[in-house]
Amino acid sequence: ERITQTVEITKHVVDIEEKGVKLRLTIVDTPGFGDAVNNTECWKPVADYIDQQFEQYFRDESGLNRKNIQDNRVHCCIYFISPFGHG
């Protein structure tokens, strides 16, 4: 059975607390990213998502009510490469 490629961006939010320090970690998952034979512009949805998050933060920061701004910008990208590559 053939597995279909998915490049759907899903967002998972986890609240972590250790020794009184609170951290909200947002994990953005892109399953199937780059798995297709033709990877032309497969990076575009991820780059668009990063741009949207930055623009939203900039709009919130430029507004009048800046007290409760949520920072959803992407601060780090980790790309896992399959150990079972094509050579």
Side-chain angles (χ1 to χ4, degrees), residues 10-24:
T10 54
K11 182 172 147 179
H12 307 279
V13 179
V14 179
D15 291 321
I16 302 170
E17 183 174 354
E18 185 176 332
K19 296 182 181 177
V21 177
K22 294 180 182 180
L23 173 71
R24 174 168 284 177

Side-chain angles (χ1 to χ4, degrees), residues 39-85:
N39 286 327
T40 305
E41 295 192 20
C42 65
W43 51 268
K44 190 132 178 65
V46 177
D48 289 343
Y49 178 83
I50 293 170
D51 288 341
Q52 288 171 0
Q53 298 306 308
F54 179 78
E55 289 171 8
Q56 180 63 44
Y57 182 78
F58 183 72
R59 278 194 301 274
D60 291 344
E61 193 178 54
S62 300
L64 296 175
N65 186 10
R66 293 180 280 187
K67 206 171 214 180
N68 297 319
I69 295 176
Q70 286 190 346
D71 187 358
N72 291 322
R73 295 175 294 172
V74 176
H75 294 91
C76 177
C77 292
I78 301 173
Y79 183 72
F80 293 101
I81 299 171
S82 173
F84 306 106

